[in-house]
Amino acid sequence: MVSEDFLHAEILHEEMNRLLMNAGVSFSALKGVAVGSGPGSYTGLRIGVSAAKGLALALQIPLYAISGLKMMLSQSAIESEKEVLVVMDARRNEVFGAWRRKSGLLDDPAAIIVDDDFIATHAHHTLVVLGENASKLRALLPQETTLIDALPSVKSICMKGLDLGEPVDLAYFEPVYVKPFVPTVSKK
């Protein structure tokens, strides 16, 4: 029996078609394709980016890559003089993260892994942590830390008119992989 939890690769194209049909938009009306560039799960990124590249190539339209960390940052009106750590759940009790400096920009669009050593290095800061399951870090961070749980939302980005920047090169674009892919045997 196949679990329905892991069928996104099989139904992604059907769901894209359904979305456009419900919106009353044809594929030929599309002017560009936006895809999440990561960080995220290796398999999920590969599937999403492959589908987006294929669509952009077939329709001969530009492909834009959007960082999930930037998505979360753009939808949150954080009025903080402090640096903000923007995080995404990386499973296995880890998060991917990047610093939003006082200038408002993210330090490293490739993101970093936030682990015990990283937290120890920055424990003297009073932090604001924004992101998916930010509260997972409660035990590691000083009591004064402000934790804001938030998920990336493409809808909020589109509504706010986020600058997508320049299109990426279809042949050379790869998503942001923070950790190397390590195949494992299923425990099920």
Side-chain angles (χ1 to χ4, degrees):
M1 180 173 182
V2 176
S3 168
E4 292 185 20
D5 293 340
F6 300 102
L7 294 179
H8 54 282
E10 296 174 27
I11 64 172
L12 178 60
H13 291 89
E14 293 170 14
E15 292 299 318
M16 289 188 313
N17 190 43
R18 184 176 296 124
L19 174 70
L20 290 175
M21 284 178 49
N22 288 341
V25 176
S26 68
F27 280 97
S28 62
L30 297 178
K31 302 293 183 208
V33 176
V35 66
S37 63
S41 85
Y42 182 85
T43 303
L45 286 172
R46 290 302 254 190
I47 292 167
V49 168
S50 295
K53 280 183 168 185
L55 187 59
L57 183 63
L59 297 173
Q60 297 180 349
I61 56 178
L63 176 68
Y64 299 90
I66 307 170
S67 160
L69 297 168
K70 286 183 181 177
M71 281 188 225
M72 284 186 288
L73 192 56
S74 74
Q75 69 198 32
S76 300
I78 297 176
E79 302 295 330
S80 175
E81 294 296 318
K82 303 170 191 162
E83 293 176 346
V84 176
L85 179 61
V86 185
V87 297
M88 293 179 77
D89 191 359
R91 300 187 183 161
R92 299 184 181 139
N93 295 320
E94 291 182 304
V95 294
F96 301 124
W99 290 102
R100 185 213 67 183
R101 298 295 173 188
K102 292 177 184 177
S103 66
L105 299 174
L106 284 180
D107 247 12
D108 183 1
I112 55 175
I113 296 176
V114 179
D115 58 13
D116 291 342
D117 293 335
F118 179 85
I119 297 299
T121 303
H122 299 284
H124 60 282
H125 294 233
T126 303
L127 301 176
V128 174
V129 180
L130 164 74
E132 181 183 12
N133 296 321
S135 56
K136 276 187 169 184
L137 299 176
R138 170 53 65 207
L140 297 172
L141 297 170
Q143 187 66 28
E144 306 80 44
T145 303
T146 302
L147 298 168
I148 305 168
D149 284 330
L151 291 171
S153 168
V154 174
K155 179 181 176 184
S156 67
I157 289 177
C158 294
M159 294 184 76
K160 290 184 178 183
L162 178 71
D163 178 17
L164 295 175
E166 294 296 315
V168 296
D169 186 312
L170 284 175
Y172 296 103
F173 169 69
E174 288 189 17
V176 175
Y177 300 116
V178 177
K179 296 191 290 187
F181 175 67
V182 179
T184 58
V185 176
S186 173
K187 295 180 182 177
K188 295 181 182 180

